[in-house]
Amino acid sequence: MAMAVRRASASAFRALTSSRNLNSSILTRDLHASPGSKKIVGVFYRANEYAEKNPNFLGCMERALGLREWLDSRGHQYIVTDDKDGPNCELEKHIPDAHVLITTPFHPAYVTEERIKKAKNLELVLTAGIGSDHVDLKAAVTAGLTVAEVTGSNVVSVAEDELMRILILVRNFLPGYQQVVRGEWDVAAIAYRAYDLEGKTVGTVGCGRIGRLLLQRLKPFNCNLLYHDRVKMDPELENQIGAKFEDDLDAMLPKCDIIVINTPLTEKTKGMFDKDRIAKCKKGVYIVNNARGAIMDTQAVVDASSSGHIAGYSGDVWYPQPAPKDHPWRYMPNHAMTPHISGTTIDAQLRYAAGVKDMLERYFKGEEFPPENYIVKKGELAPQYR
């Protein structure tokens, strides 16, 4: 009886809201409380022999965020794959009837408009980590999907990694390491372009959670700290860190010896660092980018690194991901690139696995997520993606 009343109420609500032409995402949010088994599809990188080397290695396909037993015990279907690209991939087989899609920035399943149109049952897209630019957010809004991520889960991991990359570039570390591996010894070949970090001007483009943590970690190095963002940080925190706000990005860039990219990828930031903007940077600048590869113009970075305008470029983000073997960043001079690893430390994996489980629990109960986790909610994008 209660179930019949509930279904009748839901039907009436749908008819009422449809007549009022309300956004379809409100209806979708109401349906999150619907009963029954859900099909959940997770896309993660394959760990192979490394999966057994650490019991907390939860972010790989084999461990699947540690959710298998929990979901199975509740009668849900959990499909996990690493095969995500192309018309005949494993993901394509499961898209049409999936209710929930879980993916990561480290091995992203690109949730395109075409895939969203095929996914008639899809209600929720979760990012295990931070950054949902692999989702066509406009299409998600139109389809009434909820898109969420585990905000804050790996900010410490990424900020620490950025500091490491700054030091690797400034101290010209990699050529020294490579000498040792090759059995060589040539101090001059390293020392002629190695510097101290102290006294250098570091500017972060974007100063959210990661940017602030990076500035806090840079303070003991006695650097000059600048930041550009759409909003100023709290004056007390700004004073504590000793960072100066720069309203005009193009005015900040020539002041910086080191530039760190900490802004999300949006329509506004895609290709932000093109040939013209890189030309505004100081000659010999170091650039660290753990945000998203598509913020940079790929060829512009190669050309500036080859000419020496960029003295060193480091990051772990590429476009597309995984990066193809012929990606030009693999072969440009003075780079310190890695696969996308900064936000997937074991500590971060434990945090974002727990966050995904928490949001799934709330989803099954029809409850709200923590507000900061939403990327698309009720037809609206989070401010940082507008």
Side-chain angles (χ1 to χ4, degrees), residues 24-314:
S24 62
S25 62
I26 300 176
L27 300 179
T28 302
R29 185 60 198 159
D30 182 63
L31 290 176
H32 284 184
S34 62
S37 173
K38 301 291 185 180
K39 181 173 182 178
I40 298 155
V41 178
V43 180
F44 311 103
Y45 53 79
R46 187 182 294 271
N48 298 312
E49 71 272 20
Y50 301 105
E52 300 303 318
K53 292 183 179 294
N54 189 329
N56 291 324
F57 191 1
L58 300 181
C60 61
M61 189 192 83
E62 291 84 349
R63 292 285 168 79
L65 302 181
L67 299 174
R68 170 75 63 195
E69 184 177 344
W70 175 68
L71 289 172
D72 287 351
S73 70
R74 283 156 176 77
H76 301 295
Q77 184 183 10
Y78 191 27
I79 305 295
V80 177
T81 183
D82 69 326
D83 185 15
K84 63 186 180 65
D85 297 317
N88 299 314
C89 71
E90 188 70 16
L91 175 60
E92 285 289 326
K93 299 176 186 177
H94 298 288
I95 278 285
D97 60 347
H99 297 94
V100 180
L101 176 61
I102 306 170
T103 184
T104 77
F106 319 106
H107 188 72
Y110 291 102
V111 187
T112 61
E113 181 180 13
E114 182 182 5
R115 279 179 167 170
I116 289 173
K117 287 180 178 178
K118 291 179 182 177
K120 302 300 184 183
N121 292 340
L122 190 62
E123 297 171 350
L124 175 62
V125 179
L126 289 178
T127 298
I130 303 173
S132 295
D133 49 89
H134 53 279
V135 181
D136 185 325
L137 297 178
K138 281 188 175 181
V141 168
T142 301
L145 301 182
T146 295
V147 181
E149 61 188 29
V150 191
T151 299
S153 59
N154 55 19
V155 292
V156 169
S157 311
V158 177
E160 287 184 359
D161 187 273
E162 289 177 342
L163 178 57
M164 175 190 72
R165 291 176 191 275
I166 290 171
L167 287 166
I168 282 173
L169 291 178
V170 171
R171 300 306 293 264
N172 205 25
F173 173 83
L174 280 179
Y177 167 77
Q178 290 161 354
Q179 277 191 25
V180 170
V181 171
R182 293 192 301 261
E184 301 171 358
W185 189 281
D186 187 353
V187 173
I190 305 158
Y192 85 101
R193 61 192 312 271
Y195 299 89
D196 294 338
L197 181 53
E198 183 174 52
K200 303 298 183 293
T201 297
V202 183
T204 175
V205 181
C207 198
R209 291 175 175 86
I210 295 171
R212 290 195 297 270
L213 287 173
L214 174 65
L215 293 176
Q216 288 172 331
R217 282 154 176 74
L218 283 168
K219 184 179 180 181
F221 287 87
N222 297 320
C223 300
N224 303 311
L225 302 176
L226 307 176
Y227 73 98
H228 169 78
D229 201 280
R230 55 193 177 84
V231 293
K232 290 188 67 174
M233 70 174 74
D234 179 79
E236 184 176 345
L237 179 61
E238 185 180 77
N239 183 62
Q240 179 187 6
I241 295 174
K244 180 184 175 185
F245 175 71
E246 294 278 343
D247 181 59
D248 186 338
L249 172 61
D250 290 332
M252 181 184 84
L253 295 179
K255 302 175 185 177
C256 298
D257 302 297
I258 301 150
I259 295 168
V260 186
I261 312 300
N262 277 311
T263 188
L265 176 62
T266 67
E267 289 186 359
K268 293 180 180 179
T269 63
K270 186 175 182 179
M272 171 191 283
F273 278 81
D274 56 11
K275 179 181 178 180
D276 293 338
R277 180 153 274 137
I278 290 173
K280 294 175 182 178
C281 299
K282 182 183 294 187
K283 186 175 180 0
V285 69
Y286 299 99
I287 298 179
V288 171
N289 179 16
N290 280 1
R292 287 296 182 266
I295 293 171
M296 317 298 292
D297 180 298
T298 298
Q299 191 58 46
V301 171
V302 174
D303 293 343
S305 296
S306 299
S307 72
H309 194 91
I310 295 177
Y313 184 89
S314 184

Side-chain angles (χ1 to χ4, degrees), residues 296-355:
M296 317 298 292
D297 180 298
T298 298
Q299 191 58 46
V301 171
V302 174
D303 293 343
S305 296
S306 299
S307 72
H309 194 91
I310 295 177
Y313 184 89
S314 184
D316 69 335
V317 287
W318 310 66
Y319 185 77
Q321 288 190 180
K325 290 184 179 181
D326 61 351
H327 196 294
W329 286 359
R330 292 180 182 267
Y331 310 106
M332 63 187 180
N334 302 318
H335 80 76
M337 295 296 296
T338 66
H340 195 169
I341 56 171
S342 64
T344 189
T345 62
I346 296 300
D347 300 288
Q349 289 177 40
L350 291 169
R351 291 189 292 266
Y352 63 67

